[in-house]
Each structure stands twice: as structure tokens, then as C-alpha cells.
Amino acid sequence: MDDEPRTAGLNDKTKRPLGQSMSLGGDREKLAEYYAAWAETYDSDVGETDDKYGLPGSVLVALDTAVEQVPEIGDPGITILDAGCGTGRVAVALGAAGYRVIDGVDLSPEMVAIAERRTRSDGSPLYRRLEGGVDLTQPPSPAWSAHADLVVVGGVFTVGHIPPDAIHQVIKLVKPGGVLITTVRPGYYDTTDYAQVSAALTASPAADLVAEFASLPYTEDTDGRYFVYRINERS
Ligand SMILES: C[S@@+](CC[C@H](N)C(=O)[O-])C[C@H]1O[C@@H](n2cnc3c(N)ncnc32)[C@H](O)[C@@H]1O
């Protein structure tokens, strides 16, 4: 796996590394089709353990720092939105950390269908509510607007997925005073204007930067960047 886009047949039933998903140029229909075909083997392909897929554990590291700055989000009863939830890997980590109210949205209904199967140790569903067909580049529906105390966007600000300025839509999912955590693949950070978009956002009244991690575990092939924002009241 690397950050160079590679072409791949969308109907290839062989292993689908993340590198192939990064060749789709952010085309919503191609991404939806790609993830529909990948959903069933996504977890085994990215790896089931922290040493293979470090992103969920790193979200918890970023969250620890967020809680130091914004103690309210340490409450296990807060509402969390796993945005771009995929098969639910981030929610597994959040649930294990004790968070009880986790919702999820994703472009791909097939990825969401896998997330829907996930349960907690007592057999109850991991997610409270899930919705597929949700495009994070578009303004959120009223149901998801200012919905969550904590929004996590894991593995979506990456090559060929959503553009940096989608963050302006993503912040609308967060309740005023709440927190947004994003993960950013290095190859994306280096080739897009994420840094500039983020700096402009945090220079504006809309959000403050709570923490930035330049290098925490991400996928097997690379570490990633993690950003923690506090979203302010909107005028
Ligand atoms: C690499 S996966 C990460 C999934 C999950 N967060 C994880 O950590 O395993 C990227 C996810 O982003 C979703 N996605 C891609 N473009 C999207 C968009 N415009 N809006 C919402 N989700 C999108 C895909 O369907 C896929 O589930």
C-alpha cells in the first residue's frame, strides 16, 4: 500500500487494499460502488488488530487529549457521531472506552450494513442509530445537524475520498461547544490544502484547534495526522 493512486477494476473480488480506494478521485458514485464491493472483506483487508489498523486506537489517544481540554466529552453518556463510519472500526474502540451513545453515517449502505451487525459485550447493538447514503461533502440533513457532542471522521480525509473543504460541512454535525476529531493521511496532507483549510477554520470564530498530532499509528503502511477541534457557537 502507498499513497500513489493505483487503478483497479471495481469488480475485482481479490484483496482490496486501501491504495485502490484512493484512486477514485473523490467521485461519489465510484466510491459508493467500490465500498459496496469491498464491505464484506474490508475488515480483514485493513487488518483486525491495532498493529495492522492503528487508526481507532489513535483516535482514543487524540480523544484523551481532547478530554483534558474539554472535560465534558469525557462523560460516557455524550452523543458521538462516527462520520464515515464504514464497518464500525472506530466505534468498536469508542465503545470499548466506555462510550454508550454512538451513531454512525456513511456514504456506503453496504459498509453501514456491516456496522449494523456489531454488538457490545452484553449483546446490545454497538450503534444507536446508523444511516447509509450520507455524503459528508453536502450540508447535513436536519436530523444530523448539530447532532453530536463529539464527531469523529476517521479515514475519510484521505486520497480520493473527500476534499479538505468538506470540513465546513462536517463541523455542522457538531453541537456548539462540542469536539471534532479528524484523521488525515500524510499523502493527502502533502498534496491537498488541508493544512490551509484547517488553519483558516481555526483562525475564524467557528472553531479552535485543541490539539494536532503529526504522527500516530494509522494504517499498516503509514502513520497519520490527527486533529482535534472545538466547535464554537455559530452566530
Ligand atoms: C477507509 S474507510 C474508513 C471507514 C472507518 N471510519 C474506518 O476507520 O474503518 C472510508 C469510508 O469513507 C466513506 N466515504 C467516502 N466518501 C464519503 C463521503 N463523501 N461521505 C461519507 N462517507 C464517505 C466510505 O464509504 C468508507 O466507508
Side-chain angles (χ1 to χ4, degrees):
M1 249 183 320
D2 55 37
D3 283 324
E4 290 302 314
R6 283 184 252 159
T7 51
L10 291 175
N11 296 318
D12 179 3
K13 296 292 182 211
T14 58
K15 192 173 177 191
R16 292 170 177 271
L18 279 168
Q20 295 176 6
S21 69
M22 292 189 288
S23 68
L24 303 174
D27 180 309
R28 192 169 53 177
E29 271 148 35
K30 282 190 190 158
L31 278 161
E33 188 185 347
Y34 188 85
Y35 278 101
W38 194 17
E40 284 293 339
T41 58
Y42 173 89
D43 287 324
S44 55
D45 287 348
V46 300
E48 307 273 1
T49 52
D50 280 356
D51 58 320
K52 299 276 187 201
Y53 192 46
L55 183 154
S58 297
V59 166
L60 295 187
V61 172
L63 180 52
D64 277 348
T65 297
V67 170
E68 284 167 20
Q69 306 289 322
V70 187
E72 305 89 285
I73 61 161
D75 179 343
I78 62 165
T79 297
I80 299 179
L81 181 64
D82 183 4
C85 62
T87 61
R89 298 294 292 272
V90 170
V92 169
L94 292 167
Y99 287 97
R100 295 192 301 267
V101 185
I102 309 174
D103 297 326
V105 295
D106 196 279
L107 186 64
S108 166
E110 291 81 4
M111 294 288 274
V112 165
I114 309 282
E116 238 156 22
R117 295 183 206 154
R118 293 196 186 269
T119 53
R120 294 174 185 267
S121 51
D122 65 359
S124 63
L126 175 59
Y127 286 95
R128 178 180 65 173
R129 193 169 135 215
L130 279 161
E131 186 178 340
V134 174
D135 184 351
L136 295 176
T137 69
Q138 299 302 308
S141 69
W144 296 113
S145 291
H147 173 77
D149 302 289
L150 169 66
V151 173
V152 181
V153 186
V156 194
F157 284 106
T158 188
V159 182
H161 284 54
I162 64 174
D165 66 5
I167 202 164
H168 296 300
Q169 303 306 332
V170 165
I171 63 171
K172 295 176 186 167
L173 302 165
V174 187
K175 284 183 194 166
V179 166
L180 167 67
I181 296 177
T182 64
T183 77
V184 181
R185 191 173 181 91
Y188 176 91
Y189 189 80
D190 294 342
T191 57
T192 68
D193 61 351
Y194 187 92
Q196 292 85 342
V197 170
S198 174
L201 176 68
T202 56
S204 80
D208 298 317
L209 185 65
V210 172
E212 177 178 349
F213 299 86
S215 184
L216 287 175
Y218 186 82
T219 49
E220 193 178 11
D221 62 319
T222 183
D223 284 352
R225 287 181 179 264
Y226 291 74
F227 292 81
V228 181
Y229 305 94
R230 179 166 193 162
I231 307 307
N232 296 320
E233 298 283 343
R234 281 177 277 278
S235 51

